[in-house]
Amino acid sequence: MTSLSRRLRDHAAKFVALGCCVTAFAFALPEHVSAADRDEAAAPFRFTAQALNAADRPEDRSVRSVAPAFRPIRSWISSVGAGAGLFAVDGGTVSHDVCLVDTRTDTVTVRPAPGTGDRYRSFTLEAAELPMPSYSAPMGCLPADLNEDGWQDVTVYYWGRSPVTFMRIPGAVPSRAAFVARELVPGHPVWSTNAMTVGDYDGDGHTDLVVGNYFLDGARVLDPTARQRELQMPSSMSSAHNGGTLRLFRFTGGRSGAAPEARFTEVPDAFGEKRPLGWTLALASQDLDGDGLPEVYEANDFAPDRLLVNESKPGAPKFRLATGSRHFTTPKSKVVGKDSFKGMGVTFADLDRSGNPSIVVGNITEDYALHESNFVFRPTVDRKRLGPLLHRGEAPYDDHSESMGLSRSGWTWDVAAADFDNSGYPQVMHATGFVKGETDRWAQLQEAAMGNDLILRHPELWPHVEPGDDLSGHDTNTFFVRTPQGRYVDVAEDAGVGSAAVTRGFAIGDVDTDGRLDFVAANQWGQSVLYRNHSEAAPFLGLRLRRPAGVSGANTPATGAVARLRWSDGRVTEQQLYPANGHGGVAAPDLLFGLGDQRADRPVKVDLSWRGTDGRTHRSTTTLRPGWHELLLTDDGNLAEVPA
């Protein structure tokens, strides 16, 4: 080869390398949204904040007592616990009541949503009749009718013990005396629970529970006297499997009346012969393949998330793991079940009127810090082909978060998607922030993130995070709106919801029945608020789907029911009734479809499917006028509208 040929070859190689670098850089840059498009996207939205609990005071604590091993990182350990849920404590169908976890007082209260009337005095759910260790603290509240008597109960989960079910006494005036505290698990073992979700996982017609734990079972994290080998931090930044156990509890019976109870039995091998250990921060349920059985998505901190495909039979819950495949343009950490990011929130949403829900996941996406990425996993095949692939252990999903504008949001916790202006497309919100203080500790955390995994399980080798330190403590919650081009833009500040409080969970529902969704923001170490929706809103179709309860004449939310709205252009929007999806927030058990430019007096056609108390799947189609409807989904496959 001549000297000239070699020089030409070398120059060509350099140009190819430069071209690859330029192309990669172009892919990494976020697309620009014009100011005009941003203003247009923000224009319909207007929210006002109303306080839910006491205002912040200088003397309020912002850190917990912790085991000695964790004392140098006690602000890190104290970074979770705020939560909220919307439900109907009065036995009705309008979810205008709030259960709220306040970390400043370690209390769980039930109260009317602001603006819905002084219907009763707020009260605290305390389990005084049960053993409550000094090292336990509530981490979340989950309303659900556990004994199927038509009245919603409240499950409270903790660090320091197993969950407690507060069972509602039918007909009693809302108060602490209207609830009976029961153990979910005999002997109240020491768990660190950060997430729970509900669904009929084995298809027997009854609601079951999935519990996601964080620290290793038995670890007394909040005990200042504890010295245990279980007091470990994650063994890896991206592949830690020394955390808590993922557990499934199957409904096995219950009773109503003055001494109500619901009985659940753990199924140890539901997720495999070896119980999966992880650092669970969020859980979500959704029937992805249309077989009537919900899958479970487990968002893991410090380990790959898990998509668990449901292969259960009545009385025998069983799941298998499904993972995605990497393509030429797929970053290594953006594959379902193989990511190395910090999964902290998850929801399912039909973002494009495809009739197939996407999996929307929140991670740490901090500029100049741990800049990972959120996920929007969209299916690459139709539902008919999706099912067989999932049951072979394949997850045919690709991440579209960057192209949709949803990849970046700060230090993200809960993720929620709902249609707040009834446009027909959901907006997407991220609860953000970690530890609020004055001294930025990101440099030290970055150093730890780049260190050897072998040191990470030892808390004494972590960078100190103590009162006064800050890690993404001033991030702003997001409110992403879809532009006509299909890309999302954050307009939280313009909409009035861009709070810089450290937020953990969102609970969404129409508390005042005006056809516009409101939401609760549960804030860590601060005052939580209800955001009332005053946006310009199009017509809507609201569905309060119910099924017969175990008590004669009563009905209960039809958890797991699926509604598919048909649009005039032939497209379909799907929603499923799984209120307890995500981290820290439980939505009202309702479905609301925005109708966009649909005429307010024009009926719309909806396909419904549900599993009856007999365990069979039923399907029916109905035509309804815009507005709220309460539908009873019967075991004979018929629909009955309950008169207002």
Side-chain angles (χ1 to χ4, degrees), residues 189-200:
V190 176
W191 297 347
S192 299
T193 304
N194 265 134
M196 290 186 66
T197 188
V198 298
D200 178 11

Side-chain angles (χ1 to χ4, degrees), residues 211 213 217 241 243-247 268-280 298 300 306 308:
V211 179
N213 294 316
D217 295 352
H241 300 284
T245 306
L246 182 68
R247 302 173 182 271
D269 59 352
F271 300 114
E273 292 184 9
K274 185 178 180 181
R275 299 190 191 195
L277 302 181
W279 296 82
T280 309
E298 179 192 14
N300 264 320
R306 295 185 181 107
L308 298 159

Side-chain angles (χ1 to χ4, degrees), residues 2 35 84 87 180 200 243 267 271 288 294 318 344 467 569 591 611:
T2 68
F87 71 121
V180 177
D200 178 11
V267 183
F271 300 114
L288 296 176
K318 180 184 178 183
M344 303 167 79
D569 62 2
L591 301 179
R611 191 174 288 273

Side-chain angles (χ1 to χ4, degrees), residues 7 10 28 154 179 237 271 289 307 437 454 556 587 591 607 610:
R7 286 199 299 271
D10 292 343
V154 178
F179 289 84
M237 271 286 173
F271 300 114
D289 56 2
L307 176 58
L454 294 177
T556 190
L591 301 179
D607 300 323
W610 68 96

